[in-house]
Amino acid sequence: MKKSIFFGILVLTILSCKTASVSKTTVANDTEKLPYFKASGTEPFWNISISEDQIVYKTPDDSIILPYVKPIFAMDSNVKLYRVKTESAEFTIQISQQECQNEMSGEVSPYKVSVDYRKNKTSAFENFKGCGQYITDYRLHDIWVLEELNGKKISSEDFGKKFPMIEIYASTNKFSGFSGCNQMNGALFSEKEKLRFINIVTTEMMCDNSYKETEYITTLQNITSYSIGENRLILSNPSGKKIIFKKID
């Protein structure tokens, strides 16, 4: 009897472990497919979401899943063009960084979106217009403390006893923090794989001139891209890695 009970517990334990493993894998796969851009329009109602592996177009009566394609970039403005063609549909999606107001709700978005679409080769193109926005990477939403600045590990000689830190609010594209002597806050400009810290405002405390606060803020203002891994937020620009933060709990 005791052997039967032990065997039953062992089987349940193994099954539980397998279920947990499958659940974690499912979550990871779902995370990879999260859209980084969403747009919608009215009259007729439609919406589009763009992720790393697909483009999804929906109306109240239809849903079309398209393979992801890399956008074509305009040379002189922040305009992207996605051209997708399958056996059953053809799309041209243009995303322009211009303020856009939803005609029904009045909500203002930072991007105008134009969609040219036809369902098959014999039909004519239809054009829909709407508004959209990029979805800021949720992994940025955390508190980060400065670890390296311009290729050098920081020390108390650079900032005193308290190192700079930054708290990023991904849902509102804002941030706040401590810059080494002063408190600061500002806004984020975020697109796919792009990140800029803008509208930075600091308090005006008297600071030790030997501290690297000015260098830190200037470098932060020149950031254009980021990566996240091993509890580190790495901020870069075309000349290379500039700032490395460590995640704190």
Side-chain angles (χ1 to χ4, degrees), residues 79 101 141 230 248:
V79 178
Q101 186 172 29
H141 190 100
E230 298 180 348
I248 58 174

Side-chain angles (χ1 to χ4, degrees), residues 11 17 23 26 44 46 53-54 60 63 79 125 151 162 166 180 195 200 203 207 226 229 238 244:
V11 170
C17 291
S23 298
T26 303
W46 61 270
D53 62 345
Q54 63 185 20
S63 179
V79 178
F125 276 98
K162 187 177 179 182
I166 191 168
L195 186 67
I200 297 177
T203 54
C207 304
Y226 75 98
I244 298 178

